[in-house]
Amino acid sequence: MNQSAEELNKVEKKDLFTSGHRACGGCGQALAARLVQDASGENTIACVATGCLEVFSSPYPDPSWRIPFLHSLFENASAVASGVEAAYKALKKGPVNIIAQGGDGSTADIGFQSISGMFERGHNVLYVCYDNEAYMNTGVQRSSFTPLGARTSTTPMGNKTRKKNMPLIAANHGIPYVATATVDDFRDLQRKVKTALSIEGPKYIHILAPCPLGWGHHGELTVEICRLAKDTGLFPIYEIVDGKMTNVKKIPVKVPVQEYLKLQGRFSHLFKKGGSPEIIAEIQQIANQNIERYNL
Amino acid sequence: MLKQIEGSHAVAEVVAKCRPNVISAYPITPQTHIVEELANIVGQGKLDAEYVNVESEFSAASVVLGASAAGARAYSATTSQGLLLMSEVIYCIAGMRLPIVFTIANRAISAPLSIWNDQQDSMALRDSGWIQLHAEDNQEAADLHIQAFKIAEETNLPIMVCMDGFILTHAFEPVDTPDQKEVDNFLPPFRPTNIVDPRWPRGIGLFADPRFYMETRYILHRAMEKSEETIKKVSEDFKKAFGRDSGGFIKTYKLEAADVVIISMGSVVGTIKDLIDQLEEEGKKVGLLQICSYRPFPRREIYNTLKDKMNIVVVEKSISLGRGGILASDVRWSFPRAEKKDRNISSFIAGLGGRNITKNDLRYMVEKVEKEPVELEFLGLNKELISEKDL
Amino acid sequence: MIEIRIHGRGGQGNVAAAELLSVGAFMDGKFSQAFPSFGAERIGAPVMAFVRIDDKKIRTREDVQTPDYLIVQDYNLIGSVPVLDGLKPDGLILINTEKKPEELQLKTTAKVETIPATEIALEIIGRPIPNAIMIGAFCTITGLVRLDALQEAIMGKFPGRVGENNVAALERAHEIMQKR
């Protein structure tokens, strides 16, 4: 289905993921989830993995979901969504938007097998990843999305590994659509969801969703932090359509990574006395590499 | 040193003093405080160990399997979904006779999702060839870990130290954690006998056709039965070294004159003891048989201790759906058919999904079995949530 | 055995309050048990924590259903959560609010005390975390745990300036309650 540019760029507000859920004030993921569901519309089935989103939005007897919601385990949202899609095909039902959703773990760690299988088999499912760079629901433990230097409860001295590049891994499965987005740009995020849903096959959208509690910043700074994540080059914004990178959001004025890091408690140890300028330098190097690689 | 400390932290502290070489775990509520504290201890250089942050429980178990097979003292912790996810590896570890110690922070199993306590998780793996020890309180939880490494390494059997999630893991209470020297005196360095090493090439985890497989299971079963001696001896040695009654097979409370005997395991035992004292003041004689070693199952102890007791009630935080109480079933089997006579063994299921178990609930249970035996009853059920059409 | 139930919102240090009371009681030579009522709580969601204090070992693991004392860290919970449930008729409830007890008109026979803990916290600690003030006021009123045991507990958990600020807040609460 092709939508007009006007339809694609319209900001949708349908209240399909309604208020009254139990997310922390300022939660990036709650905001993103609302935008995703509204962009998709009523004809949607959400297959959600265990994690913050599922836990704060689906307690019996009052879930926030006004569309069909299916939750199984932490590691199998993609496989479950594959099953829903297979059923719709077999029963010749639909069309319907099937959106598998989860955070770090269910996308890139415990659920990695499951998502890779879904991509490889070519299921007509959109996977939306809410990236808050750690296992927030269980208490801020590190994930493979935790960036270099970040303090988490299982990397109390600072994370020593680099962030796994899930969007490129997804693209390397040969799927027709991959996009990155941040939670502060409603129009862009929803446009990407609508674009994805208009394409047949597996789709992947990776959304940076800051977590004020886990990242150590005030909820009001979420928008600023998203902007800095982009303008430092640490979180590049782009789409990959049929294997070709496109719509890369260029950075008008490049910002040094310190500006981004110093706003967040999880990096505060890098700036304290006896801190780690060499780690900050390495983080800057990562940003520079991104700027070059994605031509930001 | 005696401290007011969170259960998880007491366990982490004590495990660190057991000098594991490799720790690998995947965070899952309510085990998280244990693994976070261990990350802290390792990160601060207080324990020289490899701490491997893995991507799932399946991998956590696999990492400790590999580590143990390479001669390291290995440790992990999990619960509920995590334990089920790694269940394949759990069976592997036992079949390979690797002396690994796990903490299981007992929790209910999805679906529906529950992060709260019951014992369905460790029960689901009761047949796997792991020794399963249940802690009554955080002191015992800490103590059992020290004993577990010793028992495991002497028997080449892996051990689950089970402690009720949240109820124990997240409770602050006084725990005496021994110092490093005391632990070193009790727990000698690991001398593995069964490892992959180019100096003595051997294969671990081979393929066994029908000519060979059955004997491996026989040997494992007999090894578990034989481990009874070690479990008891280590508990006695622990008492000599640290002055505390921890672990062992079973413990009893006010059993001698009891007309009704309650059998249970885990933290609910504390509430039961308080009730027993209350009932005693009211002139009722009720006693407790508390199971510490669930696997191997203390069949003979139960029979010998309760031979003359005619009214027994088992209360457990688990169920075999479609059959009934699991612990109750094990207890009923402990008494030979011919001797059943008028002995009643009642079965109550309680506390599933973290449902609070009150002294009133338990009092109701005792009063009920005083009148008649109960085949199977769920304690504290909310009938308003149930309708025939749900069946 | 004394049973205390603490009500608050996630982020107000309810579990820490329970922990500090129990550690303080321990340092005061008593037996104590503290545990949270755990949910998948988020910042701002209602949370409960429980404390038991006794002269002998505490064995029971039930939830605290008939508390002798209630500590309410967020006054606004009273309308929306059954805060008063089970409170013993001759018990005591300490509420974080600027209002005076008479103004609250609570339907209870228990004694009601109040203290503007959030305001004091903002002044002395610089963050709206009322727990040190609440436990300070609570122990002054009830005498359940000595103030210096609480101070020791706070410094043990929060070293450095955070600990000092919390101890100062604790002492301010003590002064205020003593004057009443």
Side-chain angles (χ1 to χ4, degrees), chain B residues 73-105:
Chain B
R73 180 175 277 165
Y75 167 83
S76 187
T78 192
T79 178
S80 177
Q81 313 306 131
L83 182 59
L84 294 192
L85 181 62
M86 58 161 74
S87 56
E88 266 201 280
V89 191
I90 291 287
Y91 274 81
C92 263
I93 288 172
M96 291 178 179
R97 302 295 296 272
L98 295 171
I100 293 171
V101 173
F102 265 57
T103 309
I104 305 298

Side-chain angles (χ1 to χ4, degrees), chain A residues 50-99:
Chain A
T50 310
C52 270
L53 175 63
E54 172 265 328
V55 161
F56 70 63
S57 72
S58 69
Y60 180 86
D62 29 39
S64 286
W65 298 83
R66 290 184 163 180
I67 49 173
F69 168 88
L70 179 58
H71 160 250
S72 170
L73 299 169
F74 191 8
E75 66 270 31
N76 66 358
S78 307
V80 167
S82 301
V84 172
E85 187 253 25
Y88 267 72
K89 256 170 95 171
L91 300 170
K92 301 194 180 9
K93 294 204 292 182
V96 70
N97 292 334
I98 301 171
I99 310 186

Side-chain angles (χ1 to χ4, degrees), chain C residues 82-97:
Chain C
V83 167
L84 296 174
D85 268 15
L87 176 62
K88 293 214 170 77
D90 59 347
L92 167 85
I93 173 170
L94 171 66
I95 305 172
N96 173 18
T97 175

Side-chain angles (χ1 to χ4, degrees), chain B residues 300-361:
Chain B
R300 262 178 301 112
E301 275 69 16
I302 289 176
Y303 175 69
N304 289 333
T305 314
L306 300 183
K307 234 188 329 223
D308 303 319
K309 300 297 178 188
M310 291 302 149
N311 201 349
I312 297 170
V313 55
V314 180
V315 58
E316 63 187 284
K317 291 177 176 175
S318 48
I319 181 152
S320 176
L321 294 164
R323 196 207 192 286
I326 300 174
L327 183 57
S329 191
D330 287 332
V331 168
R332 282 170 178 157
W333 161 79
S334 300
F335 296 91
R337 257 194 145 5
E339 283 207 30
K340 278 260 172 71
K341 296 185 222 168
D342 305 310
R343 184 179 351 256
N344 293 329
I345 302 177
S346 300
S347 170
F348 280 81
I349 313 297
L352 297 184
R355 179 69 55 92
N356 186 28
I357 303 175
T358 64
K359 285 203 281 290
N360 281 342
D361 291 327

Side-chain angles (χ1 to χ4, degrees), chain B residues 42-255:
Chain B
V42 172
Q44 287 174 25
K46 293 181 184 159
L47 168 67
D48 182 15
E50 282 296 304
Y51 189 97
V52 187
N53 269 316
V54 282
E55 71 285 2
S56 81
E57 288 89 351
F58 182 82
S59 288
S62 304
V63 164
V64 295
L65 181 159
S68 183
R73 180 175 277 165
Y75 167 83
S76 187
T78 192
T79 178
S80 177
Q81 313 306 131
L83 182 59
L84 294 192
L85 181 62
M86 58 161 74
S87 56
E88 266 201 280
V89 191
I90 291 287
Y91 274 81
C92 263
I93 288 172
M96 291 178 179
R97 302 295 296 272
L98 295 171
I100 293 171
V101 173
F102 265 57
T103 309
I104 305 298
N106 291 113
R107 166 184 143 177
I109 296 180
S110 194
L113 179 61
S114 168
I115 56 170
W116 293 272
N117 162 255
D118 70 34
Q119 291 167 1
Q120 290 183 88
D121 52 2
S122 57
M123 276 300 191
L125 274 301
R126 68 192 183 279
D127 301 329
S128 58
W130 283 58
I131 292 174
Q132 292 186 329
L133 305 173
H134 280 260
E136 163 182 359
D137 54 26
N138 284 327
Q139 181 67 69
E140 188 164 46
D143 294 343
L144 282 177
H145 284 87
I146 304 173
Q147 296 184 32
F149 281 103
K150 190 152 192 198
I151 297 166
E153 288 166 16
E154 282 180 25
T155 59
N156 279 329
L157 290 167
I159 302 186
M160 291 181 199
V161 177
C162 301
M163 61 191 295
D164 286 323
F166 284 135
I167 297 177
L168 292 184
T169 55
H170 286 62
F172 283 84
E173 59 194 53
V175 177
D176 191 352
T177 51
D179 61 41
Q180 185 64 71
K181 197 145 174 284
E182 291 177 296
V183 176
D184 287 340
N185 284 340
F186 187 80
L187 180 64
F190 180 30
R191 304 234 181 284
T193 51
N194 190 26
I195 63 173
V196 285
D197 188 323
R199 291 175 288 178
W200 314 288
R202 70 198 317 191
I204 300 183
L206 302 185
F207 180 133
D209 71 37
R211 292 170 295 163
F212 306 112
Y213 184 92
M214 196 141 161
E215 284 67 25
T216 69
R217 280 297 176 262
Y218 175 79
I219 290 168
L220 201 40
H221 177 69
R222 289 296 319 280
M224 285 204 83
E225 289 183 325
K226 189 159 181 283
S227 73
E228 174 186 334
E229 299 160 17
T230 313
I231 293 169
K232 288 177 174 169
K233 175 142 202 316
V234 169
S235 171
E236 281 157 23
D237 290 345
F238 189 89
K239 180 160 188 179
K240 289 196 196 107
F242 298 95
R244 280 193 296 275
D245 262 317
S246 280
F249 250 37
I250 62 166
K251 296 195 201 61
T252 63
Y253 186 72
K254 300 200 170 166
L255 209 48

